[in-house]
Amino acid sequence: MSDFTCYVVEKDSHDQIRSGLGRRNLSDLLDDEVLIRVAYSSLNYKDALAATGRPGVARKFPHVPGIDAAGEVAESTSPDIQKGQKVLVTGYDLGAGRWGGWSEYARVPAEWVIPLPQGLSLVSAMQLGTAGFTAALSVDALKRHEITAQSGEIVVTGATGGVGCLAVAMLAKLGYTVVAVTGKADRHDWLKQLGAARVIGRGEVDVKGGNPLLKAVWAGAVDTVGGNVLPTLLRSTHIGGCVTACGLVAGPELVTTVFPFILRGVTLCGIDTGWCKRERRLELWRRMAGEWKPDRLAEVSTEIALKDVDEPVQRILAGGIVGRTVVRISG
């Protein structure tokens, strides 16, 4: 069948954005090595921006969001990817520069395709998705900087979000003492069930003014928020600690001094999921399917059909989504 259903974002002649389900033809997809029949995708903040036509994500219209996709190979011209193989794709230019996973079919370069690791289903791969991969890169960064479970407390900001809750769960499974940060009082018990040793409010990691160095509290940090939270974490991390940064919902500016770096040797490690090298990507997906896989993965996600995605899009933009949202594309 050459026609398929997808979620299309279009701009009309008056520059008004129109979004919703539509039909397209396989010939509309960019020519490339692997055609995937998508079974599941997910909802990420970047997808919501694309779905509402916000500048900076979708670079041209019409556009299909979805930075994650999991499904079965329908066609392949690559000797490394076989027809019928179960695969996943996260990051690269999927759902940004080219049409993404909110579609029954996606065509991508073979380099982007990850064979589904043993230990994951198509659904659980999307319960992780880009958020899980971001969390895994953050955990890996802490480990590479020799932050161990014995080093001290690891703080995770934005802990009820997709990246945050998966980082809490992964770190806890690896034996770290995790402190979760959230402004959602009704989610403290949930975060503790995922593995947080304790839960604190946002104000404790959002200190304005004062000395360039604060009391050293954290061995490491996973920051998904940005804004003033990131310099607060840098100012309050122990000697030799590591702070990873992957988000900017509280703002993109970084206002700090060099003191955390030259007096405590703190490392600020940026996390980029989009263009991570394939070898590292394969290794981290293997770990997420094995020893790093959260024990309560199903409890961090909700599944919806593609036709029902509009309401969750508005909620994630308003900060009202907890955990992960898996988008069912086809059976």
Side-chain angles (χ1 to χ4, degrees):
M1 184 176 68
S2 60
D3 288 343
F4 59 91
T5 299
C6 56
Y7 186 97
V8 186
V9 185
E10 299 181 279
K11 183 181 287 188
D12 65 20
S13 58
H14 302 289
D15 285 340
Q16 297 299 307
I17 297 296
R18 300 176 184 274
S19 304
L21 294 186
R23 298 287 291 179
R24 288 296 187 271
N25 191 278
L26 290 179
S27 62
D28 294 324
L29 299 174
L30 291 180
D31 188 26
D32 230 313
E33 298 162 287
V34 181
L35 178 68
I36 301 170
R37 184 172 188 265
V38 181
Y40 296 94
S41 183
S42 71
L43 170 61
N44 301 277
Y45 192 78
K46 189 173 182 179
D47 298 322
L49 293 176
T52 51
R54 304 288 180 89
V57 181
R59 294 191 280 276
K60 59 182 179 179
F61 298 94
H63 180 68
V64 176
I67 63 173
D68 295 337
E72 186 174 295
V73 176
E75 297 174 5
S76 175
T77 60
S78 168
D80 300 320
I81 306 296
Q82 306 303 314
K83 182 178 179 180
Q85 188 174 10
K86 291 182 178 180
V87 297
L88 65 94
V89 182
T90 62
Y92 296 102
D93 219 14
L94 190 72
R98 73 163 62 207
W99 290 6
W102 289 10
S103 170
E104 289 182 321
Y105 285 94
R107 188 178 278 129
V108 298
E111 175 74 10
W112 295 10
V113 179
I114 303 295
L116 186 70
Q118 185 177 358
L120 290 180
S121 65
L122 295 176
V123 174
S124 59
M126 292 295 92
Q127 289 169 342
L128 292 164
T130 291
F133 186 61
T134 305
L137 280 169
S138 300
V139 173
D140 189 51
L142 294 177
K143 293 175 71 67
R144 286 171 181 248
H145 286 88
E146 300 181 343
I147 310 300
T148 69
Q150 291 71 44
S151 297
E153 291 183 326
I154 309 297
V155 63
V156 177
T157 65
T160 61
V163 177
C165 70
L166 290 170
V168 168
M170 287 183 197
L171 287 164
K173 183 162 187 180
L174 293 172
Y176 288 87
T177 302
V178 185
V179 178
V181 181
T182 184
K184 296 180 173 67
D186 61 333
R187 287 291 167 170
H188 286 210
D189 289 344
W190 180 71
L191 287 167
K192 289 177 180 178
Q193 289 169 7
L194 294 181
R198 59 192 181 97
V199 182
I200 62 175
R202 295 169 181 163
E204 295 192 46
V205 292
D206 189 4
V207 178
K208 298 175 176 65
N211 295 326
L213 288 176
L214 302 172
K215 179 182 178 181
V217 179
W218 316 115
V222 175
D223 179 41
T224 73
V225 173
N228 187 62
V229 169
L230 181 53
T232 299
L233 295 175
L234 292 169
R235 294 162 66 198
S236 54
T237 295
H238 281 293
I239 291 173
C242 176
V243 177
T244 70
C246 66
L248 46 68
V249 67
E253 296 82 12
L254 177 60
V255 181
T256 188
T257 70
V258 299
F259 291 115
F261 309 116
I262 66 174
L263 296 183
R264 289 182 178 167
V266 173
T267 297
L268 173 58
C269 186
I271 303 298
D272 170 34
T273 61
W275 300 100
C276 175
K277 291 183 178 180
R278 180 174 174 79
E279 293 76 16
R280 191 177 181 200
R281 193 179 290 269
L282 287 166
E283 174 60 22
L284 289 180
W285 274 105
R286 184 194 65 77
R287 293 182 187 179
M288 285 191 287
E291 65 268 28
W292 291 15
K293 184 179 180 182
D295 292 329
R296 309 170 78 106
L297 183 56
E299 297 180 25
V300 307
S301 70
T302 302
E303 184 176 315
I304 62 170
L306 181 59
K307 66 180 179 63
D308 299 322
V309 78
D310 286 326
E311 191 272 336
V313 160
Q314 296 303 319
R315 280 199 290 124
I316 199 171
L317 290 173
I321 292 282
V322 170
R324 293 281 291 149
T325 301
V326 173
V327 182
R328 184 174 67 257
I329 307 299
S330 59

